[in-house]
Amino acid sequence: MTATEHLNLTDVTLAYGATEIVHNVSLTLQHGEIGCLLGPSGCGKSTLLRAIAGFEPVKSGTIKMLGRCLSSKAENVPTEKRNIGMVFQDIALFPHLSIADNISFGIRDWVKSEQSKRVAELLDLVGLPGVEARYPHSLSGGQQQRIALARAIAPKPDLLLLDEPFSGLDANLRETLVPEIRDILKHESMSAILVTHDQMEAFAMADKVAVMQQGVIQQWGTAFNIYHEPKTRFVADFIGLGEFLQATIKDEYSVDSALGCLIGDEPLKYAPGTPVELLIRPDDIQHAENSPLTGKIVSKWFRGSHYLYHVQLEHGEILPCITACHHDHNVGEDLGISIELDHLVVLPICDPETGVCDLQEAEVVQAQAINL
């Protein structure tokens, strides 16, 4: 391990009986880094989190933290000896204990003066000073979640695990609470892993995101990487909004499509004439009043600061388009559009019945120019 390497999973496979749930997962979390396991229900993310916590044994592979082996086929350090904190979806504060006693539950072996000092310090950190004597029922859901976090980090664990802790909160509260929790963890220089199925939550909270499908990590990288530079078709489809546009490789650097000839900065790996798909994000298509390229609006969605339109091109292709909120157009109108691609994301054609592609990985290059 390097000096900054905090948690290391190498070829971790987990199984319930003969059924494998997680397959050969490897990832590294640096000191003070917040990671996220993101994916649809049943993809294995919570099972992997439980294995890191010590609740599930590994079938093969190793889990190491700070150079110490926590889990392998031959070894399994008990959960209580891993120095790992956890925050759960149901919060699970003790209703019969005061806020101070809830927070100090994991540091009861500390001297009383140090307990009181740590409780006061954490209440200041989570923005709830002076509530020591109150009880959980007197706090709002967001306040209770802050107290649950304070309780988890009170003993200064080496790693914090958060299992969908915000899913029971309303959307507006999540939007404010998630970045606040991130700031608290950064203040404590605490390494953490969040499990969620909410992409915006993952983007707001994590330094690195692991996108999981059927027990496999499809991609491990920053939010920018997985959104703009997806490595597989699943990541391209699962992350964000977007449509797949049929295209054909024209030459080493360009593709022909309904949007014209799109050119990349780097050579593509496909032979000329190969049919492919292009990933088109809503922000790739911009409203342009006098553009020679137009599409008919087939749907519109007001999103406050902007409209999300779906426009149909001449030969039936439907693409998303974002406009400023004052560009209010009706369904059925023609809308002038321009293409503002930063990345040319080229994917192999998948079998429509099986979803299997001849090549699983996407080809992502910087977009250099567009000739319509």
Side-chain angles (χ1 to χ4, degrees):
M1 295 180 67
T2 64
T4 59
E5 197 170 298
H6 196 86
L7 178 72
N8 186 281
L9 277 63
T10 305
D11 296 328
V12 172
T13 295
L14 308 173
Y16 292 140
T19 305
E20 289 190 359
I21 306 299
V22 173
H23 315 281
N24 299 315
V25 162
S26 296
L27 63 82
T28 298
L29 194 70
Q30 304 298 324
H31 176 69
E33 200 169 44
I34 301 173
C36 176
L37 304 178
L38 173 67
S41 297
C43 70
K45 56 188 185 294
S46 289
T47 301
L48 185 57
L49 196 78
R50 288 174 56 82
I52 295 170
F55 297 130
E56 302 290 345
V58 301
K59 181 179 179 181
S60 61
T62 59
I63 300 173
K64 293 182 179 180
M65 185 167 64
L66 297 172
R68 176 193 180 199
C69 182
L70 300 180
S71 295
S72 68
K73 191 171 182 179
E75 186 175 3
N76 189 46
V77 175
T79 300
E80 65 273 14
K81 295 183 179 180
R82 295 192 177 205
N83 196 26
I84 290 176
M86 291 199 71
V87 179
F88 300 97
Q89 176 181 340
D90 59 5
I91 303 177
L93 294 175
F94 301 115
H96 63 292
L97 297 181
S98 68
I99 298 304
D101 288 340
N102 264 282
I103 295 175
S104 61
F105 187 81
I107 54 174
R108 289 168 296 171
D109 56 338
W110 292 20
V111 298
K112 285 293 184 181
S113 60
E114 289 300 315
Q115 286 185 43
S116 298
K117 181 180 177 182
R118 182 64 171 159
V119 168
E121 173 187 287
L122 288 171
L123 286 175
D124 280 339
L125 185 60
V126 300
L128 293 171
V131 302
E132 289 92 337
R134 293 172 62 178
Y135 284 81
H137 72 270
S138 69
L139 303 181
S140 69
Q143 290 172 330
Q144 289 183 34
Q145 197 59 277
R146 289 185 181 92
I147 297 304
L149 176 69
R151 181 180 64 181
I153 66 179
K156 301 182 179 180
D158 292 324
L159 180 68
L160 183 68
L161 304 179
L162 303 107
D163 192 2
E164 304 210 40
F166 311 111
S167 60
L169 306 177
D170 65 71
N172 288 335
L173 181 56
R174 283 203 308 271
E175 194 167 323
T176 57
L177 186 59
V178 170
E180 287 176 7
I181 299 297
R182 174 183 166 84
D183 289 344
I184 291 167
L185 296 179
K186 289 298 181 181
H187 181 274
E188 292 281 293
S189 298
M190 185 160 293
S191 302
I193 296 181
L194 167 73
V195 160
T196 184
H197 60 270
D198 187 304
Q199 297 175 27
M200 294 302 103
E201 190 177 295
F203 289 176
M205 183 80 164
D207 300 306
K208 296 279 185 66
V209 179
V211 182
M212 294 188 67
Q213 181 200 28
Q214 296 179 347
V216 175
I217 290 182
Q218 295 277 321
Q219 188 167 346
W220 169 248
T222 65
F224 181 92
N225 291 148
I226 64 174
Y227 182 86
H228 288 290
E229 302 171 0
K231 297 294 186 186
T232 69
R233 196 183 196 282
F234 174 80
V235 176
D237 194 26
F238 181 74
I239 298 297
L241 296 173
E243 298 291 340
F244 295 98
L245 181 66
Q246 301 293 307
T248 303
I249 298 295
K250 181 179 181 180
D251 56 39
E252 190 177 17
Y253 288 88
S254 61
V255 297
D256 277 326
S257 73
L259 295 174
C261 179
L262 308 182
I263 302 173
D265 276 351
E266 300 171 18
L268 299 166
K269 63 187 176 185
Y270 304 105
T274 302
V276 293
E277 290 180 310
L278 301 179
L279 173 65
I280 305 296
R281 300 287 194 195
D283 46 306
D284 294 332
I285 307 296
Q286 303 290 325
H287 174 48
E289 195 101 12
N290 300 316
S291 172
L293 182 63
T294 63
K296 180 174 289 186
I297 299 171
V298 294
S299 70
K300 62 184 289 188
W301 182 13
F302 180 65
R303 303 184 71 178
S305 61
H306 62 275
Y307 276 102
L308 173 62
Y309 293 101
H310 279 86
V311 296
Q312 187 172 40
L313 303 182
E314 181 182 359
H315 298 294
E317 302 90 348
I318 296 176
L319 298 177
C321 172
I322 285 178
T323 75
C325 61
H326 57 272
H327 288 290
D328 184 7
H329 299 274
N330 297 318
V331 172
E333 282 186 33
D334 286 333
L335 190 71
I337 57 176
S338 64
I339 300 91
E340 303 291 340
L341 281 171
D342 287 327
H343 296 87
L344 191 60
V345 183
V346 181
L347 301 113
I349 296 289
C350 291
D351 185 302
E353 293 184 2
T354 66
V356 175
C357 303
D358 292 333
L359 295 169
Q360 290 295 324
E361 292 193 356
E363 176 82 357
V364 183
V365 300
Q366 293 292 119
Q368 177 194 46
I370 296 164
N371 303 318
L372 298 177

